[in-house]
Every structure is written in structure tokens, then in C-alpha cells.
Amino acid sequence: MKKVKYIFCGLAVITCIANAQERKLEKAAANFSNFAFAPAIQSYEDLVAKGYTEEQIFKNLGNANYYNAQYAEASEWYGKLFELDKADIDPEYMYRYAQTLKSLGKYEASDSWMNKFKEARANDQRAVQFSKNLDYLERIEANSGRYEIQNLGINSAVSDFAPSFYGNDVIFSTARDSGSISKNIHKWNNGSFLNLYKATQDEQGNFITVDKLSRKLNKKTHESSTAFTKDGQTMYFTRNNSNNGKFSRDEEGVSRLKLYRATLVDDEWKNIEELPFNDDSYSVAHPALNKDGSKLYFASDMPGTTGESDIYVVDINADGSFGAPQNLGSNINTEARETFPFVTDSDVLYFSSDGHPGLGGLDVFAVDLKDMESGTVINVGRPLNGEEDDFSYILNEETKKGFFASNRAGGQGGDDIYSFVETRALDLKCHTLIAGTVIDEETGELLAHAVVKVYDNENNVVSTSKTDANGAFNMEADCKEGNYKIVASKSDYDDGNKAFAVIKDKEATDMEVMLVKAVKSAPVGTDLAKYLGIEPIYFDFDKYLIRDDAKISIEKVLAYLNEFPEVKVQVRSHTDARANDAYNMQLSAKRAKATAAYLVEQGIDESRISYKGFGESQLTNNCGNGVPCSKEQHQMNRRSEFIVVE
């Protein structure tokens, strides 16, 4: 009987332990669902230490750390999740794992997981951006080294972020209030609630005092991220959904973020009001104003949002009312986080994102709002961006000075505010990658050191390069949509060309330009225009200036003369039959002289060039004196020829 008793007793203990663990698992899940990430992490870690290895535990541990910007810890748990080797894990975890690997500097491993994510979600904007920017590290490096940054003395041992300009002062958000009272602790990260503070600068730009803003602004909720009109009379700021200064929650128990407006009356912020497009079911946060205060930019997850949060803009009418919020679209917003917008006086939008290719966590990006739909979103580079979160960037374009926040190592607290000086402007011009090879059409040989030029549809050269030892060229050109042409040239070869079109979000790669071996030196009496198969050198009516379209043809004559330095030519120029014979003889002489001078200007020895005008004596058609002809027919006679004379 004793043996049976001990067995039952043992079963009871096991059952009690199992029930206790189940309750702990349920409590951890409840904390996670209620965004109480700090206690959820502790509970889940305790369960893992006791041998629990469930998929949902690893997911929640990864996400809880991810949302708290604890990327090293998040990476560990996402890694354990994929060690389970389950086929049905949401691809979103692949993306987050790739992001956390970047924060550890493991870019090759991150790219490997991004390729897996791309296979799973080819149409996801983040996958599209990754595919378009496989050389993103090189592009970021090209924009790096443009900032001198410094940690500010106003930072505390806790979180300080979201700086904004207020005259010569800086308004920022901080969790530096005492955390000793439990009602002031937020369970998302076990930190104090955020309040707004003002840092005052002296004439040398040193911060001398830090003061908390009034109680009318700082309630028993989070207050953060402000924006002020140029006159300093109106303020927009972020606050949790509240009722009489206390948290107000939605049906899911979540207190969303909302935007508020206040006005300065007798040096006090009054008339605090909610903006009309707030809602209890979604968040609206992080205001930014354009130069004249007519547009308000913000981040939100309102209906119509692509990802976790998108950047929106809304018009502010003259009477203070608002238009309808507009999503800034897929060129800027991805399926991840786009947040903390800031707009300069020249309408450059800076924002933070972990959806565009970056270095890890949130990076700061820029785009020209004047070309928002087709403009390139550019990572501002190191050292401002790094492997952790970098956000809430603001810039004074006149002084090139500004501030941003980061949770990078070496700071004083969780998030710190840094000042910076921009030492080199960011190139915001849109570029398209053009790459390919130049090939001998007959032999298939890759041709090194060939000159490659890209022309737009108006025959303007927009980019020039040379092929490398492997016959490859790689260059950037204007990404304006339209038709373009690549022209390749090399000694002993006729020029080759390849037409292509620039289309939004597409790069012109894998281009092949074929060249054919050129025939040797032309015999005396040859017209080089006909010999080289180029367009004649035409002139405008009663003009002798070299036209832009003629310069393209002359370039081939120049190439030929450089290739055969013993050849001498005579420039022979002509007019149409209009005007009298004597005048036309003078005009043709000017055309011949101008054409010859252009060749000399391009480096041809003047001893190799002679010139002569023939007036209207050698017409190419029947449009002689008194014969009615069209403008096009007369044009055929206004020309220069290049005749080999030696």
C-alpha cells in the first residue's frame, strides 16, 4: 500500500508542476498579447530554461525582443525558431531574422535569409527593394563619411529621443522621470512613461539647462515627437489615447497613439485638441511640418497602410482644418516600419525604416519630395546609421547641423540623442544602373578599353565610361523614364549601338553592344560621311553654327582621324539655292571654316584640315534658283562634307 501511495503522490506532484507551467505559459502569452513585452520575455525565458521548446515561444520571444530593439536577443530566438526546421513558418520571421543578423554585422547570413524571403514573397516591396539593390552595402558606403556626430550631455541613463527644433532650443522626449512608483512603469519595456523636455542652448550652442514642459502637456501617458510652426505659436505632438490625462484603451486593451495640437497663449501651451483623423483603433504619431506649415507628415497604421506603419501627409487649410490623409505610396512605404518623418525647407523627406536596404534596425533614409514617385530613396550612410536603431533625424539646411537618436552601443542610456554636422551634401539625384559588355561581333571576343557613352532621346550624353579588362562596363545615368542609346567605340572598329528604355524600378543590365572590325584607311577622294555611314553635317537656314545633332556625326569623323593620323581632309561646305550666288559663296565659306575649326578644337592638327565653300554650285537635288521646294528638300543642300585629300 505504501508503494501505491507514493506512486499517486508522485503523479500528483507531476500534475501540479505541469499545471503550474501551463499557467505560466498562459500568463506569458497574455502579457505578450497585451504588449507587456518585458514580463513576457522573463516568463518565456523561464519556461525555455525548464525545457520548453515550442514554436510559439520562440516566435514570441523573438518578436518581444525585436519590438524592444533588443536585436541580438531577437536573433538568438529567431535562430532557434528556424532550427525547428518547420516548413510552414510565416516568411515574416525570415525577414526579421535577416534584420537582426544585420545588427550583429552578419551581412552575408542576412542576405542569405533575404533571398529565402524573396523566394517566399517575391512581390513584397522589401523583396523588390532587395533585388534592385544587391549592392546596397556598396551604395551605403558611397554615402558614408558625411557626418561628424557627438553624444549630447543632455542625455540620461534612460531613453532620450525625438528631438525637434524650437527656435534655438530643442524639445525632446525622455523617460527620465522616476520609475520607483509602479503606476509610472510601462510594461512594454519596464521603463517610465515618456514626457516632453526643453533643452536650452547658449550662444555657443552648448546646452545649459534642461526643463520639463508644463503639466498641461505632460500627463500620465506617453508624450513624444513634436513639431512646431516657424512662428513658434503652434505645436503638434504625440500622446497616448487618453481620457482626462489617463490611459484610454481600445477593445483589445491597447492604448493607441494620437496626434494633438496646442497653441501658445501668454507663454503657455493651451487649447490642446485631438486631430480629427485620429482613431481609437489605430495609431497616428510623429508629426513633421513642411516649411510654410501647410502640410503635416506623420506615421500611422491606419486602414490603407502597407506595413506596420507608413508615412502619410495631410493638408492643413488656412482656417486650421485638415484635408484627408494621403499615403505617400510604395516608393517610400514598405511592409515593415516607416516612421519619424522630417521635412527640410527644400522639401527633402528624411524618415526611418527597417524595410529599405540598410545596416540593421531602423536606418535613416532620404528622398526628394519634389520627385517622390520616381525619386530614389537613399540611405544616408555611416556613421549616422549603424547596426542598431537610428531615428528621429532633424536637419537645419542652412547650418548643416542637426540631431538624431540612436540606441547604439556607447551611449548613456537606452536611446540617446546625438548632434551632427553634415560635412558633405547627400546626392539625391535619381540614378539607373547601366551595365553590360562590348563584344566583337565576328569572333565573340570581349573588347577591353572600349569607350561607352549613353545618349538620351535628345542626343545628349548622360554618362560615359570604358570597358574593363573583361569587356564589361558599369555606370549610372539619369533614371528619367524614356528612350536611351548606348554607343560603344574602339580603334579598328566601327561604332556599335544599342537602344534601350528606362522604366520605373528597372535597371538596364546585361546589355550587349556588338562592334564590327572597321575597314582600313579610305582612299583619296572619299567622302568620310558616306564612308563611315553617318548622317551628313547639316546647317540651319542662313546659319553656320555646328548643331548638336551634327556633333554626334563629327565624333565619328574625329575617331577616324585619330585612328588614321596620316589622313588629311578638306571640309567642303554648301548652301541651298536661296539668296544670291555671292552671298551663298560667303556663307558656305563660313560653314566650312566653322566645321574645320571644330575639328581643330577637338584636337586634330590644323595642318591636316583644309576647307572650302562651294555656295550653291553643287546641289544634291533639283532645288535650283526659282524651283519651288520644301524646307526638307532645301535642308539636304545645307551641308558639310569631309573629303580625303591625302
Side-chain angles (χ1 to χ4, degrees):
M1 292 296 295
K2 287 184 178 180
K3 184 176 181 180
V4 173
K5 179 179 179 182
Y6 291 144
I7 291 172
F8 277 101
C9 189
L11 289 172
V13 171
I14 293 170
T15 302
C16 289
I17 293 173
N19 288 338
Q21 300 302 337
E22 286 299 323
R23 288 195 296 273
K24 193 162 191 174
L25 184 60
E26 291 173 0
K27 183 177 180 181
N31 282 331
F32 182 85
S33 298
N34 290 324
F35 304 97
F37 292 139
I41 290 172
Q42 184 62 57
S43 297
Y44 280 132
E45 287 181 344
D46 290 344
L47 288 166
V48 172
K50 291 179 171 63
Y52 277 66
T53 58
E54 294 181 12
E55 176 184 340
Q56 195 60 48
I57 290 178
F58 292 152
K59 285 181 176 179
N60 288 357
L61 267 171
N63 288 342
N65 282 286
Y66 187 85
Y67 290 129
N68 268 332
Q70 297 167 179
Y71 297 125
E73 293 85 350
S75 187
E76 176 186 354
W77 297 116
Y78 289 144
K80 291 183 181 296
L81 171 64
F82 286 106
E83 285 175 6
L84 297 176
D85 197 24
K86 292 190 175 183
D88 59 345
I89 296 177
D90 188 334
E92 190 65 28
Y93 290 94
M94 297 179 187
Y95 183 79
R96 291 179 186 170
Y97 189 31
Q99 286 295 103
T100 60
L101 287 168
K102 283 184 181 179
S103 295
L104 298 173
K106 299 178 179 179
Y107 291 104
E108 287 188 12
S110 173
D111 289 351
S112 176
W113 279 98
M114 278 302 299
N115 281 315
K116 294 177 182 179
F117 175 74
K118 182 178 67 173
E119 291 175 6
R121 287 187 178 173
N123 294 324
D124 190 293
Q125 186 67 11
R126 294 166 294 180
V128 172
Q129 291 294 334
F130 176 74
S131 297
K132 287 172 52 184
N133 296 277
L134 296 177
D135 60 343
Y136 69 95
L137 289 176
E138 288 80 3
R139 295 192 180 201
I140 291 173
E141 186 61 30
N143 292 324
S144 294
R146 302 183 307 101
Y147 294 99
E148 296 174 357
I149 67 173
Q150 183 177 357
N151 192 288
L152 295 184
I154 63 173
N155 288 310
S156 67
V158 289
S159 184
D160 305 280
F161 68 103
S164 64
F165 294 117
Y166 184 55
N168 292 325
D169 301 328
V170 171
I171 308 298
F172 66 100
S173 184
T174 178
R176 66 185 59 197
D177 288 344
S178 171
S180 60
I181 302 174
S182 61
K183 66 181 180 179
N184 289 333
I185 298 295
H186 196 284
K187 292 183 179 180
W188 180 293
N189 58 6
N190 273 348
S192 298
F193 289 120
L194 300 167
N195 283 308
L196 297 174
Y197 277 67
K198 179 175 74 172
T200 303
Q201 297 185 90
D202 61 19
E203 293 181 356
Q204 288 73 42
N206 301 310
F207 289 103
I208 53 177
T209 61
V210 176
D211 299 300
K212 188 176 181 179
L213 296 188
S214 73
R215 289 185 178 181
K216 292 192 176 183
L217 293 174
N218 290 315
K219 301 293 185 179
K220 293 179 181 179
T221 53
H222 287 301
E223 283 84 25
S224 70
S225 47
T226 55
F228 297 87
T229 53
K230 292 292 185 182
D231 61 8
Q233 299 300 300
T234 304
M235 168 188 188
Y236 296 87
F237 67 99
T238 305
R239 173 187 284 168
N240 282 103
N241 185 15
S242 61
N243 184 14
N244 293 324
K246 296 182 179 180
F247 272 105
S248 192
R249 303 181 184 274
D250 62 15
E251 295 178 354
E252 299 177 7
V254 180
S255 180
R256 308 289 178 178
L257 298 177
K258 292 187 174 183
L259 285 182
Y260 294 79
R261 178 168 58 185
T263 54
L264 194 64
V265 180
D266 297 328
D267 292 329
E268 289 188 20
W269 291 108
K270 297 181 179 180
N271 306 319
I272 298 174
E273 59 177 340
E274 261 194 55
L275 300 193
F277 44 86
N278 289 327
D279 195 277
D280 292 346
S281 63
Y282 55 78
S283 288
V284 182
H286 312 317
L289 291 165
N290 66 341
K291 182 178 181 179
D292 64 5
S294 63
K295 292 183 182 294
L296 178 69
Y297 294 82
F298 59 90
S300 179
D301 60 350
M302 64 175 55
T305 298
T306 302
E308 294 184 47
S309 61
D310 283 3
I311 307 295
Y312 286 79
V313 64
V314 64
D315 289 330
I316 304 175
N317 301 319
D319 62 359
S321 62
F322 296 88
Q326 301 294 321
N327 189 297
L328 290 192
S330 61
N331 189 43
I332 292 173
N333 294 314
T334 71
E335 290 80 356
R337 294 178 292 180
E338 278 71 47
T339 187
F340 289 103
F342 175 78
V343 180
T344 68
D345 287 352
S346 65
D347 274 343
V348 175
L349 169 68
Y350 289 88
F351 63 99
S352 288
S353 170
D354 58 5
H356 293 274
L359 295 171
L362 292 168
D363 274 14
V364 176
F365 295 84
V367 66
D368 190 342
L369 287 172
K370 297 185 290 293
D371 191 23
M372 184 176 62
E373 292 186 4
S374 60
T376 303
V377 173
I378 297 175
N379 188 302
V380 302
R382 297 181 187 273
L384 196 140
N385 284 329
E387 283 73 20
E388 299 293 335
D389 283 340
D390 305 293
F391 58 102
S392 60
Y393 174 106
I394 61 174
L395 169 68
N396 182 320
E397 288 182 314
E398 290 186 4
T399 65
K400 303 299 180 183
K401 296 180 180 180
F403 303 91
F404 73 105
S406 177
N407 64 346
R408 64 188 60 194
Q412 299 182 44
D415 298 315
D416 274 10
I417 298 173
Y418 293 78
S419 65
F420 68 78
V421 177
E422 186 183 56
T423 58
R424 175 167 55 92
L426 185 64
D427 180 12
L428 288 167
K429 187 177 179 181
C430 179
H431 297 284
T432 293
L433 176 65
I434 301 171
T437 51
V438 177
I439 304 170
D440 185 308
E441 186 172 31
E442 183 178 355
T443 66
E445 176 189 0
L446 296 170
L447 300 176
H449 312 305
V451 175
V452 181
K453 295 184 178 182
V454 178
Y455 294 85
D456 62 18
N457 59 3
E458 296 178 352
N459 287 321
N460 299 310
V461 177
V462 295
S463 187
T464 302
S465 183
K466 282 189 176 182
T467 57
D468 60 19
N470 298 314
F473 60 88
N474 190 319
M475 52 186 160
E476 289 186 334
D478 190 344
C479 69
K480 181 180 178 181
E481 293 190 21
N483 296 316
Y484 292 78
K485 179 173 65 174
I486 298 174
V487 176
S489 58
K490 183 176 172 62
S491 296
D492 298 330
Y493 286 87
D494 292 331
D495 288 357
N497 63 78
K498 178 87 171 181
F500 67 98
V502 171
I503 303 172
K504 186 178 185 321
D505 293 336
K506 300 229 176 189
E507 295 178 331
T509 57
D510 299 324
M511 309 287 284
E512 291 185 347
V513 184
M514 299 293 180
L515 298 188
V516 177
K517 273 281 190 181
V519 179
K520 290 301 181 181
S521 178
V524 172
T526 301
D527 181 354
L528 287 181
K530 296 178 180 178
Y531 182 78
L532 298 174
I534 60 177
E535 289 291 325
I537 309 305
Y538 290 127
F539 294 87
D540 290 333
F541 175 70
D542 202 28
K543 304 290 185 183
Y544 56 91
L545 297 176
I546 306 299
R547 299 189 332 199
D548 288 340
D549 61 344
K551 291 178 182 179
I552 297 174
S553 293
I554 295 177
E555 278 191 10
K556 295 185 179 181
V557 175
L558 288 166
Y560 180 87
L561 293 174
N562 285 322
E563 185 175 353
F564 301 102
E566 74 281 4
V567 170
K568 295 182 179 180
V569 299
Q570 182 181 63
V571 177
R572 299 178 181 177
S573 298
H574 309 270
T575 69
D576 60 33
R578 292 174 290 184
N580 62 60
D581 292 356
Y583 180 83
N584 283 338
M585 190 63 71
Q586 292 177 354
L587 179 59
S588 67
K590 290 180 180 179
R591 288 174 177 172
K593 183 178 180 179
T595 307
Y598 185 84
L599 293 174
V600 173
E601 288 172 6
Q602 303 306 308
I604 304 301
D605 193 300
E606 61 182 356
S607 65
R608 300 173 59 194
I609 309 297
S610 59
Y611 57 91
K612 184 177 180 181
F614 290 83
E616 60 182 83
S617 65
Q618 295 183 9
L619 301 176
T620 63
N621 51 34
N622 295 322
C623 294
N625 292 327
V627 177
C629 288
S630 67
K631 292 181 179 179
E632 290 75 18
Q633 289 173 313
H634 284 305
Q635 171 72 96
M636 301 300 291
N637 293 313
R638 300 193 303 270
R639 69 200 188 279
S640 277
E641 301 165 334
F642 304 89
I643 308 301
V644 176
V645 295
E646 185 176 332

